Structures are given as C-alpha cells and as structure tokens.
C-alpha cells in the first residue's frame, strides 16, 4: 500500500534519495542548467515536501513550491530505483495537483531536462495535461531545460 506524507527532510533515506536526485541531474545537465534543490533549499517556507512510502520502503518524493497565490511549481519529483514503473510518480503527481487545486492555484508549472534521460518524466507530465511553455518565474531560456505548465480548475 502506498502512503504519501508530508516530510521534514530529517530521515536519512529521504536525504539519500534527494542526493541521488541531484547526482542524476549532474549526469545529464551542465551545472548552470540544474535547477533541482538541495536539502536546505527544500526546507524553505514556500515549499511543501512529501515522501512516498510503499509499506516501510521509501518509494519516492516530490515538492510543491508556491510562486505566488495563484501559481505553484513542482520540484524534486523522484521515484526510488527499486520502485520504478509501479505507478508511484503518477500517484504523487496527482496528489500534488490535488494539493495545488486545494490551495486555489490557477496554474501549476515545472522545469525538467531536455535530454533523453528526462523523456519518461516529460511523457508523464504530458499525460496529466501539462504542455510546454515559456520560462516562468526566475527561469531563463535554456537548451537543457523544458518548461511545462497546466491550467487548473478554479
């Protein structure tokens, strides 16, 4: 059974998963094009972080950053390797979309990589109604980034 819970980034397993996420970004993007957040940045007040558990095993994580009262950004979506292709990312993405709607956001956006390694993520987001857009918030045009957004129901 999958359980999604708000996480305060104190658990070593969660810290290792976030570190693994950052290492993965370093493999596929130059340093100036990596927008993934480290542990300290994920603890900022405008970010809510969740961990996903399958029984007692850490299965994934993800976060929602408030850009303004009507716009949120998905951050640090990651599925643990042992839990790939089990629907963890789909369940967490739906959870984050639901949370954004509860908060009254009108739009939910994200930045992901343009390399082929990020294609499964881009396909997942597209399947949930996200589409490519211009850079948002403080992002700049970057050949290593793909910006996506989804309008939410009022």
């Amino acid at each position: 059974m999958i359980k999604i819970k708000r996480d305060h980034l104190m658990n070593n397993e969660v810290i290792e998963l976030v570190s693994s996420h950052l290492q993965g970004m370093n493999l596929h993007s130059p340093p100036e094009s990596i927008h993934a957040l480290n542990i300290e940045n994920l603890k900022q007040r405008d970010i809510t972080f969740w961990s996903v558990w399958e029984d007692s095993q850490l299965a994934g994580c993800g976060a929602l950053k408030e850009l303004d009262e009507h716009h949120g950004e998905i951050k640090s979506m990651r599925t643990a390797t042992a839990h790939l292709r089990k629907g963890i990312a789909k369940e967490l993405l739906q959870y984050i979309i639901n949370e954004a709607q509860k908060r009254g956001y009108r739009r939910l956006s994200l930045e992901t990589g343009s390399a082929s390694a990020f294609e499964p993520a881009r396909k997942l987001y597209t399947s949930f109604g996200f589409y490519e857009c211009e850079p948002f918030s403080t992002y700049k045009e970057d050949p290593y980034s793909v910006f996506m957004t989804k309008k939410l129901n009022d």
Side-chain angles (χ1 to χ4, degrees):
M1 184 168 120
I2 294 173
K3 181 179 180 184
I4 299 171
K5 66 178 190 173
R6 188 163 181 176
D7 197 293
H8 298 286
L9 296 136
M10 304 296 280
N11 178 302
N12 285 336
E13 287 178 87
V14 173
I15 292 168
E16 286 176 24
L17 183 60
V18 171
S19 296
S20 170
H21 179 63
L22 288 168
Q23 289 170 356
M25 300 301 105
N26 283 307
L27 288 175
H28 303 289
S29 301
E32 66 275 9
S33 297
I34 296 172
H35 304 288
L37 301 176
N38 63 25
I39 294 293
E40 288 311 308
N41 288 328
L42 285 168
K43 291 180 179 180
Q44 299 301 310
R45 290 184 53 211
D46 58 349
I47 296 175
T48 306
F49 183 88
W50 294 277
S51 56
V52 183
W53 299 84
E54 186 174 36
D55 298 318
S56 63
Q57 292 186 329
L58 179 62
C61 64
L64 178 58
K65 178 178 182 176
E66 183 168 297
L67 299 175
D68 65 43
E69 65 185 48
H70 301 295
H71 190 188
E73 179 184 4
I74 295 172
K75 299 295 292 180
S76 301
M77 283 272 299
R78 180 70 170 206
T79 302
T81 304
H83 296 275
L84 290 171
R85 289 174 261 310
K86 290 182 174 182
I88 301 296
K90 285 181 180 177
E91 198 154 329
L92 179 58
L93 181 55
Q94 186 61 61
Y95 187 92
I96 292 173
I97 291 168
N98 292 347
E99 179 64 27
Q101 289 174 318
K102 284 182 203 169
R103 293 181 183 188
Y105 294 166
R106 294 185 186 139
R107 189 160 72 118
L108 188 57
S109 302
L110 62 97
E111 179 276 339
T112 190
S114 61
S116 60
F118 298 98
E119 189 171 337
R122 292 191 305 268
K123 283 183 177 179
L124 171 69
Y125 295 126
T126 299
S127 75
F128 275 77
F130 286 83
Y131 54 90
E132 288 191 33
C133 65
E134 296 296 314
F136 59 91
S137 186
T138 59
Y139 290 107
K140 306 276 186 258
E141 198 65 50
D142 183 339
Y144 293 95
S145 290
V146 173
F147 304 98
M148 301 181 84
T149 196
K150 173 184 176 71
K151 292 180 181 166
L152 302 175
N153 297 332
D154 291 324

